[in-house]
Amino acid sequence: MAHGLQIKDEESGYNKNLFCIPKHYEEDLERVFIPHGLILDRTERLARDIMQDMGNNHIVALCVLKGGYKFFADLLDHIKALNQNGDKSVPITVDFVRIKSYCKDTPTEKISIVGELSTLNGKNVLVVEDIIKTGRTMKALLSKLKDNEPKMVKVVSLLIKRTYRSPGYRPDYIGFEIPDKFVVGYALDYNEYFRDLNHICILKERAKEKYKSNVRLLE
C-alpha cells in the first residue's frame, strides 16, 4: 500500500508571516500548511520511486488539468534529472486531460474528459493529479483509461485527503496525506484564484465568501 508523508489532524501549519506570501492574498490565508520547499523535496523522492518502478519502459505522463500542472512540471523536472544523471534512462512523453465530474453525492461518479486518450494504447501511463478527495473521480478516469488498453497505469497524487467520504481508494504514489481541510496554492485553486501561490495554505472561511461569486463546480 502506498504511503505518503502524513500530516496529523491536529497539525495547524505555520505562521504565514514567516513566508513570502503575495500581498493580494495575505488577508485570505489562515496559515501556511505545506511550505514550497517541502513540496519540492517530497516531489524529488516521488520521482525516484516512480523511476525505480516504471523506468524500464517508455512512460506517458498524463497531467490532470488544471490543478495538476505545477506538480506535473516539477515532477517531470526531477524525472528528467534522473534520466540525465542515472545509470538508465527512458523516453518520457506528455499528454493532458481535463475532467468534469457530476453527481458528486452519489456512489458512482459520472465524468466527461476533455483530451485525447486513444494514443495510450499499449503504453505505460503515469497519471499525475494534484489532490484526491473521495477517489471517485480518479476511479472513473481509470475506468475510461482501461478502455484504451494501456500496458500499465499508475497514479501519483501530490495530496490525498483523509475524509469519511472516501470509499478507500489510494493511488500508487502519494506526496502528502492531509486532514480534511480546504487548502489552496501550488496550483490548487478556489474559483481559479490562488494558483499563483507557491505554498499550500489553509484558506480562511471568509475568503470563500469573498471569492465564491460565479464559483464553478470544483473537480
Side-chain angles (χ1 to χ4, degrees), residues 31-36 39 158-159 176 178 183-186 188 197-202:
R31 310 269 289 178
V32 170
F33 200 51
I34 309 177
H36 186 234
I39 296 169
L158 176 63
L159 304 176
F176 302 88
I178 66 171
V183 293
V184 294
Y186 194 70
L188 292 158
L197 180 64
N198 279 339
H199 312 291
I200 292 175
C201 299
I202 300 171

Side-chain angles (χ1 to χ4, degrees), residues 153-170:
V153 178
K154 288 188 178 290
V155 178
V156 56
S157 183
L158 176 63
L159 304 176
I160 182 171
K161 277 192 178 183
R162 289 189 300 274
T163 171
Y164 70 91
R165 300 186 301 275
S166 172
Y169 171 78
R170 294 179 71 84

Side-chain angles (χ1 to χ4, degrees), residues 28-122:
D28 303 320
L29 305 172
E30 196 75 52
R31 310 269 289 178
V32 170
F33 200 51
I34 309 177
H36 186 234
L38 182 56
I39 296 169
L40 293 181
D41 281 359
R42 182 72 187 119
T43 301
E44 183 176 12
R45 179 53 197 255
L46 288 171
R48 189 196 305 178
D49 293 343
I50 289 166
M51 285 297 286
Q52 285 177 348
D53 293 345
M54 301 181 71
N56 293 320
N57 295 285
H58 176 180
I59 299 171
V60 178
L62 184 65
C63 176
V64 180
L65 296 171
K66 295 180 182 177
Y69 82 86
K70 182 65 175 164
F71 175 49
F72 182 79
D74 288 336
L75 180 68
L76 259 62
D77 280 346
H78 287 304
I79 289 177
K80 182 172 67 175
L82 292 171
N83 253 343
Q84 291 175 342
N85 302 313
D87 295 330
K88 61 180 180 180
S89 65
V90 295
I92 309 288
T93 55
V94 301
D95 213 334
F96 302 88
V97 294
R98 288 190 67 182
I99 301 173
K100 294 187 181 297
S101 57
Y102 309 89
C103 307
K104 284 185 174 292
D105 295 327
T106 63
T108 56
E109 195 85 357
K110 295 181 180 179
I111 67 170
S112 65
I113 298 176
V114 181
E116 181 56 64
L117 300 180
S118 62
T119 58
L120 304 180
N121 183 276

